[in-house]
Amino acid sequence: MSLNCREDSPAHGCFLEAPFNYNEARYVIIGVPYDSTSSWGVGSRFGPSAIIEASRYMDPYDIELDCIPLESGIHTMPELSVMGIAPTRMIDAVYSKVACVLSDGKVPVILGGEHTVSLGAIKAAREFGVEYLVVLDAHADFYDEYEGERFSHATVTMRASEIVSRTLVMGVRTIGWEEKKLLSDREDVRVLYRESLRDQAISEIKKEVKGRKMYLSVDVDVLDPCYVPCVSTPEPDGLSWRELTHILREIIHSSEVIAMDFVEFSPCHGMRSDSYSIARLVYKAIGYHATNPRNGNFGYNSNE
Ligand SMILES: [Mn+2]
């Protein structure tokens, strides 16, 4: 495996305008501008740059955590050049980059792009001992094939579940009959529908993931479209900001997340609030990670 992960900072700017070089950073932002298989609302190739641009306007102090997670070091890599290539080649490119960053002991934070970008990252994480996958998504994405394609935004969780031993999908509020049938044959995959995401279910999940090495994938359409209207397939009755950040905090503080992604954001022209919200969400997740006593430098006491 090549160990040359270090590259110059990108021309389009860095997350939070952070001046950290690769060697001194704990977290590495990897933009994957790819949207070849979306069926509706193509444009997630512009997601990574819109999130990074919006992040420049955030204050790095986190009120909830009472610390500056940025002090752990966040480096932004140049975007991967994957637009227009076949999904399998894009997945290979993501795999190589993420494996490289993991082998340097850093935490890759992938910004999509459509959801298929996760597959390369999950494959890399699997080689670093991850057996457990948590996906937050409005959609089950559990088709075996979609429009003749095995690697598609609608098959991504099915493909991902073939890489890891255990998959948990949270926040689903739309699913096909065929997907439901495929799921009923799979004891290793659990779907928690949107309406069952109550406190009790979340504390059960917290126990289940405790101490486990984990990959976390957030399709931002899990949020209600009032927060993030510009996604490939917006679905009503999504999670509120508070519900989602609560779930992220519980999962990230209980388990050992080694890599994560935020996908499916398709910025709309002239709208700034949702790219800002996603930048904030990415930074929140980094903050939760940095304040997990197993991972971080901040000694934050979560209420177990
Ligand atoms: Mn989705």
Side-chain angles (χ1 to χ4, degrees), residues 31-39 41-49 78-94 111-117 232 265-266:
V32 189
Y34 188 82
D35 60 9
S36 293
T37 80
S38 298
S39 27
V42 173
S44 60
R45 79 188 73 167
F46 303 111
S49 52
E79 290 185 337
L80 298 191
S81 356
V82 287
M83 203 47 227
I85 66 177
T88 47
R89 284 189 54 213
M90 175 277 294
I91 290 165
D92 287 346
V94 175
L111 306 181
E114 62 170 59
H115 209 157
T116 46
V117 309
S232 310
F265 175 49
S266 263

Side-chain angles (χ1 to χ4, degrees), residues 137 139 219 221:
D137 198 329
H139 310 93
D219 180 331
D221 67 27

Side-chain angles (χ1 to χ4, degrees), residues 20 32 40 76 96 109 123 130 140 148 163 181 201 211 272 286 289:
F20 295 93
V32 189
W40 188 31
T76 307
S96 304
V109 180
K123 228 172 105 188
V130 164
I163 301 170
K181 280 193 292 183
R272 289 175 294 127
I286 290 173
H289 193 277

Side-chain angles (χ1 to χ4, degrees), residues 115 136-141 153 219-222 233 264:
H115 209 157
L136 288 137
D137 198 329
H139 310 93
D141 294 340
H153 67 99
D219 180 331
V220 297
D221 67 27
V222 76
T233 29
E264 291 284 334

